[in-house]
Amino acid sequence: MCKSTDPKRALFAELAAVARALGHEHRVELLEHLAQGERSVEALARLTGLSMANASQHLQQLRRAGLLEARRDGKFVLYRLADDGVVQLMSVLRQTAERNVASVGALLARYFDGRDGLEPVGRADLVDRAQAGLVTVIDVRPREEFDLGHVPGAVSVPLEELDARLAEFDPATEIVAYCRGAYCLLAVEAVARLRARGFSARRMEDGMPEWRAAGLPVAAG
Amino acid sequence: MCKSTDPKRALFAELAAVARALGHEHRVELLEHLAQGERSVEALARLTGLSMANASQHLQQLRRAGLLEARRDGKFVLYRLADDGVVQLMSVLRQTAERNVASVGALLARYFDGRDGLEPVGRADLVDRAQAGLVTVIDVRPREEFDLGHVPGAVSVPLEELDARLAEFDPATEIVAYCRGAYCLLAVEAVARLRARGFSARRMEDGMPEWRAAGLPVAAG
DNA sequence: ACATCATTCAAGCGATAACTTGAACGTATA
DNA sequence: TATACGTTCAAGTTATCGCTTGAATGATGT
């Protein structure tokens, strides 16, 4: 066997500590929000419905595990992912759960295949087709998140504004919607509404975090 | 925001449950062993030094999380990874820890860079060079693990036997050693010893689990 | 049928994690 | 300087986890 068993044990303990940081519902949700860009404790507490003290504690736990970093800006403390690899870790976690946990597969099938129906668009495809003007790309996240970074050429159409802004879209041009991630429901909802109005709409396969992690260009402001 | 917050919460809870299954030192160690192939509870308890009841409980926890499957063979219950994707998950976990946790980086630097020194060999490289007879590939894991599957053309040389079998090797041919995984110490130790005897030796970048997960050919028996 | 062995179940104890509350700390604004 | 606000700290309660012990289950061999 391995001669020195100590360093291996130490390594296992460290890996388990990182995994344990991902082992709570609220922390997964916090990471999902932070995958969009850095956020203040107050914003995260509001988005998740946690108390500030509670959110702060979870964030510190994630920071201790090396998954987050924090910086101070005025009276706010802004947290952000320590590394784009964290997105990859969460992505692999989702894939594993989707394959091996029946309830997750069922959950996703019910809320995606059922409501979406059509095959989503791949990332590589999208860049070419957007530049050629063949598709209209809309970002249905809140404008705040759009401003922090979005797909080049995308138009910000928060889901709340969608119904009121239908006149902007050319019914002859296909619309591709994206939001936060593979399993965010914003784009699904947007596609469903657009189709109900007679538009040709599809959902982008992944969301902004995966886009960013893939090293594709990001526009800001 | 997302209209239906319930399914998202449920998804987060499921993901957290999977992560929590990885959140214990002993379970990470069990998975590391199971990445070699299926094992009985008794074998795992012996390998890890856990009591049988304790090992059984951890294994059941991993199974409930969807990471393991079990089958009965005579009086033994054999556990195995539910999916090769589990190896990927653990691999990404290690990469994340290595990048973002200082102590892991230090741990690995101390035990790999310090003792190994030379750049490890990539998998793609190895297949070609082994077939061309340019390198001798040795599997330094216990023979039991070798029998369950190994790199085609590799010779089983458990670390315990290495010193006694040095005469088998041609000093003019480079030796590549591999073991269980990127961070298993068996191959590192083997390379150190071979170099001390004047051989040209290198370590394969990954181990058997990664090899298997990459879909490369595996020889058995 | 009986004994044997591998595994699992169930109960109990100690340790750790999650959440709430209230106070302390730091920074900006009046 | 004083006040307000975002954030963190500290203490306390409840719930859950990890491990041990001893008994129950399931398959095998005599």
Side-chain angles (χ1 to χ4, degrees), chain B residues 23-143:
Chain B
H24 194 282
E25 183 181 350
H26 292 163
R27 290 196 287 272
V28 174
E29 188 171 4
L30 287 168
L31 286 173
E32 199 81 13
H33 283 289
L34 284 166
Q36 309 303 322
E38 63 180 3
R39 295 286 155 84
S40 69
V41 179
E42 179 272 336
L44 290 167
R46 187 166 31 80
L47 289 169
T48 57
L50 298 176
S51 73
M52 290 243 317
N54 197 5
S56 176
Q57 284 179 9
H58 283 301
L59 290 168
Q60 286 173 66
Q61 220 161 328
L62 288 166
R63 195 182 44 153
R64 258 179 263 128
L67 300 176
L68 295 184
E69 289 174 353
R71 72 181 178 92
R72 180 138 211 157
D73 180 37
K75 54 206 297 189
F76 294 89
V77 172
L78 299 179
Y79 279 88
R80 65 178 179 281
L81 297 188
D83 189 288
D84 281 343
V86 176
V87 173
Q88 190 197 358
L89 177 57
M90 296 188 53
S91 187
V92 172
L93 179 63
R94 279 201 291 222
Q95 288 168 30
T96 305
E98 185 175 358
R99 272 196 309 268
N100 299 330
V101 183
S103 54
V104 173
L107 203 63
L108 295 173
R110 193 142 29 91
Y111 282 90
F112 285 83
D113 298 339
R115 300 178 66 181
D116 196 335
L118 283 194
E119 74 286 6
V121 185
R123 285 187 303 235
D125 259 7
L126 193 64
V127 187
D128 302 336
R129 296 172 44 179
Q131 286 194 332
L134 298 175
V135 296
T136 303
V137 180
I138 65 174
D139 182 322
V140 295
R141 300 174 300 164
R143 198 176 309 275

